[in-house]
Protein backbone atom coordinates (compact mmCIF):
# COMPACT_ATOMS: atom_id res chain seq x y z
CA UNK A 1 0.00 0.00 0.00
CA UNK A 2 1.05 3.59 -0.64
CA UNK A 3 1.86 5.73 2.39
CA UNK A 4 0.05 9.06 2.18
CA UNK A 5 0.90 10.25 5.68
CA UNK A 6 3.86 9.32 7.87
CA UNK A 7 4.31 10.80 11.34
CA UNK A 8 7.86 10.18 12.53
CA UNK A 9 8.69 10.76 16.21
CA UNK A 10 7.16 14.20 16.44
CA UNK A 11 7.15 16.35 19.57
CA UNK A 12 5.53 19.70 20.17
CA UNK A 13 6.29 22.05 23.06
CA UNK A 14 4.52 25.27 23.98
CA UNK A 15 5.76 28.05 26.25
CA UNK A 16 9.29 28.95 27.31
CA UNK A 17 12.00 27.48 29.54
CA UNK A 18 10.33 28.65 32.74
CA UNK A 19 6.91 27.26 31.74
CA UNK A 20 7.10 24.47 29.17
CA UNK A 21 4.17 22.27 28.12
CA UNK A 22 4.67 19.10 26.06
CA UNK A 23 1.57 18.81 23.88
CA UNK A 24 2.82 15.92 21.71
CA UNK A 25 5.21 13.32 23.09
CA UNK A 26 7.11 11.26 20.50
CA UNK A 27 4.17 10.20 18.32
CA UNK A 28 4.68 8.00 15.25
CA UNK A 29 2.16 6.34 12.92
CA UNK A 30 1.39 5.84 9.23
CA UNK A 31 -1.82 6.35 7.25
CA UNK A 32 -1.99 4.56 3.92
CA UNK A 33 -3.81 5.71 0.81
CA UNK A 34 -7.54 5.25 1.20
CA UNK A 35 -7.51 4.93 4.99
CA UNK A 36 -10.06 6.70 7.17
CA UNK A 37 -8.42 7.26 10.55
CA UNK A 38 -10.09 8.78 13.61
CA UNK A 39 -8.07 10.35 16.43
CA UNK A 40 -9.68 10.35 19.88
CA UNK A 41 -8.53 11.83 23.16
CA UNK A 42 -9.81 13.91 26.05
CA UNK A 43 -9.59 17.68 25.59
CA UNK A 44 -5.96 18.71 26.05
CA UNK A 45 -4.56 15.31 25.07
CA UNK A 46 -2.84 16.75 22.01
CA UNK A 47 -5.13 15.49 19.27
CA UNK A 48 -5.95 18.94 17.84
CA UNK A 49 -2.30 20.00 18.12
CA UNK A 50 -1.39 16.90 16.10
CA UNK A 51 -3.88 17.89 13.39
CA UNK A 52 -2.56 21.46 13.38
CA UNK A 53 1.00 20.22 12.90
CA UNK A 54 -0.02 18.01 9.97
CA UNK A 55 -1.88 20.93 8.39
CA UNK A 56 1.19 23.19 8.93
CA UNK A 57 -0.82 25.60 11.10
CA UNK A 58 1.68 24.70 13.85
CA UNK A 59 5.32 23.67 13.50
CA UNK A 60 6.66 20.57 15.22
CA UNK A 61 9.41 21.06 17.81
CA UNK A 62 11.14 17.89 16.61
CA UNK A 63 10.47 14.97 14.31
CA UNK A 64 9.15 14.84 10.76
CA UNK A 65 5.81 14.66 8.94
CA UNK A 66 5.69 13.24 5.41
CA UNK A 67 2.75 13.64 3.02
CA UNK A 68 3.01 11.54 -0.16
CA UNK A 69 6.72 11.15 0.56
CA UNK A 70 7.48 14.87 0.98
CA UNK A 71 8.75 16.15 4.34
CA UNK A 72 6.30 18.99 4.98
CA UNK A 73 8.15 20.10 8.13
CA UNK A 74 10.80 21.55 5.79
CA UNK A 75 8.43 23.41 3.45
CA UNK A 76 8.61 27.21 3.30
CA UNK A 77 7.24 30.08 1.23
CA UNK A 78 5.71 29.17 -2.12
CA UNK A 79 6.32 25.45 -1.61
CA UNK A 80 4.33 25.56 1.63
CA UNK A 81 1.52 27.52 -0.02
CA UNK A 82 1.43 25.04 -2.90
CA UNK A 83 1.12 22.12 -0.46
CA UNK A 84 -1.76 23.77 1.39
CA UNK A 85 -3.50 24.65 -1.88
CA UNK A 86 -3.06 21.41 -3.82
CA UNK A 87 -2.55 18.54 -1.37
CA UNK A 88 -4.67 19.31 1.67
CA UNK A 89 -8.31 19.78 2.60
CA UNK A 90 -9.04 21.02 6.14
CA UNK A 91 -12.39 21.14 7.93
CA UNK A 92 -11.98 23.52 10.86
CA UNK A 93 -13.86 23.27 14.14
CA UNK A 94 -14.61 27.01 14.02
CA UNK A 95 -15.52 26.92 10.30
CA UNK A 96 -13.07 29.66 9.12
CA UNK A 97 -15.54 31.03 6.59
CA UNK A 98 -15.00 34.51 5.12
CA UNK A 99 -17.81 36.80 6.35
CA UNK A 100 -17.80 38.97 3.22
CA UNK A 101 -18.45 36.02 0.89
CA UNK A 102 -21.63 34.00 0.39
CA UNK A 103 -21.66 30.27 1.09
CA UNK A 104 -21.30 29.67 -2.67
CA UNK A 105 -18.33 32.03 -2.89
CA UNK A 106 -16.65 30.48 0.17
CA UNK A 107 -16.84 27.05 -1.46
CA UNK A 108 -15.82 28.39 -4.89
CA UNK A 109 -12.74 30.05 -3.42
CA UNK A 110 -11.03 26.68 -2.91
CA UNK A 111 -11.40 25.93 -6.63
CA UNK A 112 -10.65 29.45 -7.85
CA UNK A 113 -7.25 29.28 -6.16
CA UNK A 114 -6.57 26.16 -8.25
CA UNK A 115 -7.58 28.04 -11.43
CA UNK A 116 -10.57 25.77 -12.10
CA UNK A 117 -12.83 27.29 -14.78
CA UNK A 118 -16.15 28.89 -13.82
CA UNK A 119 -18.39 26.23 -15.43
CA UNK A 120 -16.57 23.41 -13.66
CA UNK A 121 -16.75 25.30 -10.34
CA UNK A 122 -20.51 25.73 -10.71
CA UNK A 123 -20.95 22.06 -11.64
CA UNK A 124 -18.97 20.83 -8.63
CA UNK A 125 -20.69 23.19 -6.19
CA UNK A 126 -24.14 22.07 -7.35
CA UNK A 127 -23.15 18.44 -6.84
CA UNK A 128 -21.60 18.81 -3.39
CA UNK A 129 -24.35 21.16 -2.18
CA UNK A 130 -27.00 18.57 -3.03
CA UNK A 131 -25.01 15.83 -1.30
CA UNK A 132 -24.61 17.90 1.87
CA UNK A 133 -28.07 19.43 1.85
CA UNK A 134 -26.96 23.07 1.50
CA UNK A 135 -28.35 23.89 -1.94
CA UNK A 136 -30.89 26.33 -0.51
CA UNK A 137 -28.39 28.39 1.50
CA UNK A 138 -25.68 29.01 -1.11
CA UNK A 139 -26.62 32.70 -1.55
CA UNK A 140 -26.54 33.40 2.19
CA UNK A 141 -23.65 34.94 4.12
CA UNK A 142 -22.08 33.18 7.13
CA UNK A 143 -23.86 35.47 9.64
CA UNK A 144 -27.18 34.24 8.23
CA UNK A 145 -26.32 30.56 8.78
CA UNK A 146 -26.69 28.27 11.78
CA UNK A 147 -23.66 26.50 13.23
CA UNK A 148 -24.60 23.28 11.48
CA UNK A 149 -25.04 25.03 8.14
CA UNK A 150 -21.64 26.73 8.51
CA UNK A 151 -20.03 23.37 9.24
CA UNK A 152 -21.53 21.84 6.11
CA UNK A 153 -20.31 24.79 4.00
CA UNK A 154 -16.86 24.42 5.55
CA UNK A 155 -16.94 20.70 4.79
CA UNK A 156 -18.02 21.33 1.19
CA UNK A 157 -15.11 23.73 0.73
CA UNK A 158 -12.65 21.10 2.00
CA UNK A 159 -13.90 18.12 0.02
CA UNK A 160 -14.78 19.81 -3.28
CA UNK A 161 -11.14 19.86 -4.41
CA UNK A 162 -10.80 16.05 -4.08
CA UNK A 163 -7.51 16.36 -2.17
CA UNK A 164 -5.23 13.40 -1.33
CA UNK A 165 -5.48 14.15 2.38
CA UNK A 166 -8.46 15.55 4.25
CA UNK A 167 -8.07 16.69 7.86
CA UNK A 168 -11.18 17.23 9.95
CA UNK A 169 -11.31 18.74 13.45
CA UNK A 170 -14.60 17.75 15.13
CA UNK A 171 -16.50 17.91 11.80
CA UNK A 172 -19.81 16.82 13.35
CA UNK A 173 -19.52 18.90 16.52
CA UNK A 174 -22.07 21.50 15.46
CA UNK A 175 -24.35 19.18 13.47
CA UNK A 176 -27.61 17.45 14.34
CA UNK A 177 -27.77 13.67 13.95
CA UNK A 178 -29.22 13.80 10.42
CA UNK A 179 -26.60 16.27 9.18
CA UNK A 180 -23.83 14.31 10.92
CA UNK A 181 -24.82 11.10 9.19
CA UNK A 182 -25.02 12.92 5.84
CA UNK A 183 -21.50 14.32 6.23
CA UNK A 184 -20.00 11.05 7.47
CA UNK A 185 -21.54 9.15 4.56
CA UNK A 186 -19.95 11.73 2.23
CA UNK A 187 -16.62 11.04 3.96
CA UNK A 188 -17.13 7.32 3.34
CA UNK A 189 -17.85 8.03 -0.33
CA UNK A 190 -14.67 10.10 -0.69
CA UNK A 191 -12.72 7.43 1.15
CA UNK A 192 -14.08 4.27 -0.49
CA UNK A 193 -14.92 5.49 -4.02
CA UNK A 194 -12.35 8.24 -4.60
CA UNK A 195 -9.52 6.86 -2.47
CA UNK A 196 -9.17 9.96 -0.28
CA UNK A 197 -7.22 9.55 2.95
CA UNK A 198 -9.07 11.10 5.89
CA UNK A 199 -7.71 11.95 9.34
CA UNK A 200 -10.43 13.08 11.73
CA UNK A 201 -10.30 14.27 15.33
CA UNK A 202 -13.48 13.52 17.24
CA UNK A 203 -14.74 13.02 20.80
CA UNK A 204 -17.79 11.11 19.62
CA UNK A 205 -17.83 7.29 19.44
CA UNK A 206 -20.62 7.28 16.82
CA UNK A 207 -18.60 9.57 14.55
CA UNK A 208 -15.39 7.56 15.09
CA UNK A 209 -17.19 4.32 14.16
CA UNK A 210 -17.28 5.46 10.51
CA UNK A 211 -13.47 5.26 10.38
CA UNK A 212 -11.47 2.15 9.49
CA UNK A 213 -9.06 2.72 12.38
CA UNK A 214 -9.14 4.68 15.62
CA UNK A 215 -6.01 5.98 17.38
CA UNK A 216 -6.44 6.98 21.01
CA UNK A 217 -4.17 9.69 22.45
CA UNK A 218 -3.60 10.34 26.15
CA UNK A 219 -1.26 13.01 27.54
CA UNK A 220 0.30 13.60 24.14
CA UNK A 221 1.12 9.91 23.54
CA UNK A 222 -0.58 7.11 21.62
CA UNK A 223 -2.49 5.08 24.23
CA UNK A 224 -4.07 2.45 21.96
CA UNK A 225 -5.41 1.86 18.47
CA UNK A 226 -8.06 -0.45 17.06
CA UNK A 227 -9.00 -1.47 13.52
CA UNK A 228 -12.53 -2.00 12.26
CA UNK A 229 -11.67 -4.93 9.98
CA UNK A 230 -14.83 -6.85 9.09
CA UNK A 231 -16.84 -5.48 12.03
CA UNK A 232 -20.14 -3.76 11.44
CA UNK A 233 -20.23 -0.10 12.39
CA UNK A 234 -22.22 -0.95 15.52
CA UNK A 235 -19.71 -3.63 16.56
CA UNK A 236 -16.84 -1.23 15.98
CA UNK A 237 -18.62 1.48 17.97
CA UNK A 238 -18.88 -0.91 20.92
CA UNK A 239 -15.14 -1.64 20.73
CA UNK A 240 -14.44 2.09 20.72
CA UNK A 241 -16.55 2.52 23.84
CA UNK A 242 -14.64 -0.37 25.48
CA UNK A 243 -11.36 1.50 24.99
CA UNK A 244 -12.96 4.69 26.28
CA UNK A 245 -13.90 2.76 29.41
CA UNK A 246 -10.31 1.55 29.79
CA UNK A 247 -9.20 5.16 29.74
CA UNK A 248 -11.04 5.59 33.03
CA UNK A 249 -13.43 8.34 32.07
CA UNK A 250 -10.94 10.58 30.29
CA UNK A 251 -13.17 10.44 27.25
CA UNK A 252 -16.55 10.63 28.91
CA UNK A 253 -17.64 13.20 26.33
CA UNK A 254 -17.09 10.55 23.64
CA UNK A 255 -20.14 8.78 24.93
Amino acid sequence: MEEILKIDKIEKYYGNKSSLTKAIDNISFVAEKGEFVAIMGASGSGETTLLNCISTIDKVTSGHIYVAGDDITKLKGNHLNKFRREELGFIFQDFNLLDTLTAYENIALALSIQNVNVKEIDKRIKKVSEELGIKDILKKYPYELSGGQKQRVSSARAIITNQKLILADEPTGALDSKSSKMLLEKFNYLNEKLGATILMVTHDAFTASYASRVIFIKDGKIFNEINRGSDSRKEFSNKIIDVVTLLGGDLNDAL
Side-chain angles (χ1 to χ4, degrees), residues 40-47 203 217 250-251 253:
M40 298 188 77
S43 296
S45 292
E47 71 281 7
H203 290 93
I217 294 179
D250 282 348
L251 283 174
D253 51 347

Side-chain angles (χ1 to χ4, degrees), residues 229-248:
S230 59
D231 289 343
S232 67
R233 199 169 52 74
K234 184 176 181 181
E235 289 169 336
F236 192 42
S237 179
N238 289 335
K239 288 184 178 180
I240 293 169
I241 292 170
D242 286 342
V243 178
V244 168
T245 304
L246 280 176
L247 279 169

Side-chain angles (χ1 to χ4, degrees), residues 5-6 9 17 77 83 98 106 116 165 187 195 200 211 225 249:
L5 175 67
K6 181 180 179 181
K9 299 177 181 177
K17 291 181 180 179
F83 165 73
L98 297 175
N106 266 285
V116 177
L165 180 63
F187 278 4
M200 172 181 70
E225 71 171 77

Side-chain angles (χ1 to χ4, degrees), residues 109-121:
L109 185 61
L111 294 172
S112 298
I113 290 171
Q114 293 186 352
N115 296 316
V116 177
N117 69 64
V118 174
K119 286 185 178 180
E120 178 63 17
I121 289 175

Side-chain angles (χ1 to χ4, degrees), residues 11 22 54 58 63 97 100 105 112 117 124 164 230 236:
E11 295 186 338
K22 198 172 192 178
I54 297 169
D58 273 346
L97 300 177
T100 56
E105 291 165 342
S112 298
N117 69 64
R124 287 203 211 175
K164 292 179 182 176
S230 59
F236 192 42

Side-chain angles (χ1 to χ4, degrees), residues 34-38 40 181 184-185 187-189 191-192 200 205-216 224-241 243:
E35 264 203 292
F36 185 174
V37 182
M40 298 188 77
K181 188 175 181 182
L184 291 166
E185 286 176 351
F187 278 4
N188 272 348
Y189 172 79
N191 174 241
E192 294 172 5
M200 172 181 70
F206 172 80
T207 299
S209 70
Y210 276 80
S212 55
R213 176 162 57 120
V214 181
I215 297 173
F216 297 86
N224 196 0
E225 71 171 77
I226 56 175
N227 290 281
R228 179 171 175 176
S230 59
D231 289 343
S232 67
R233 199 169 52 74
K234 184 176 181 181
E235 289 169 336
F236 192 42
S237 179
N238 289 335
K239 288 184 178 180
I240 293 169
I241 292 170
V243 178

Side-chain angles (χ1 to χ4, degrees), residues 129-190:
S129 65
E130 288 176 359
E131 290 170 336
L132 292 179
I134 54 173
K135 189 177 179 180
D136 296 336
I137 62 169
L138 291 176
K139 293 182 180 179
K140 293 185 177 181
Y141 289 88
Y143 72 88
E144 298 176 291
L145 305 178
S146 67
Q149 289 171 331
K150 288 178 185 178
Q151 185 63 291
R152 280 181 280 167
V153 172
S154 175
S155 300
R157 182 183 58 189
I159 65 182
I160 199 169
T161 48
N162 297 326
Q163 307 287 37
K164 292 179 182 176
L165 180 63
I166 296 172
L167 306 178
D169 187 9
E170 291 285 2
T172 61
L175 303 181
D176 57 38
S177 58
K178 182 181 178 181
S179 298
S180 294
K181 188 175 181 182
M182 195 183 300
L183 178 60
L184 291 166
E185 286 176 351
K186 177 62 177 176
F187 278 4
N188 272 348
Y189 172 79
L190 288 169

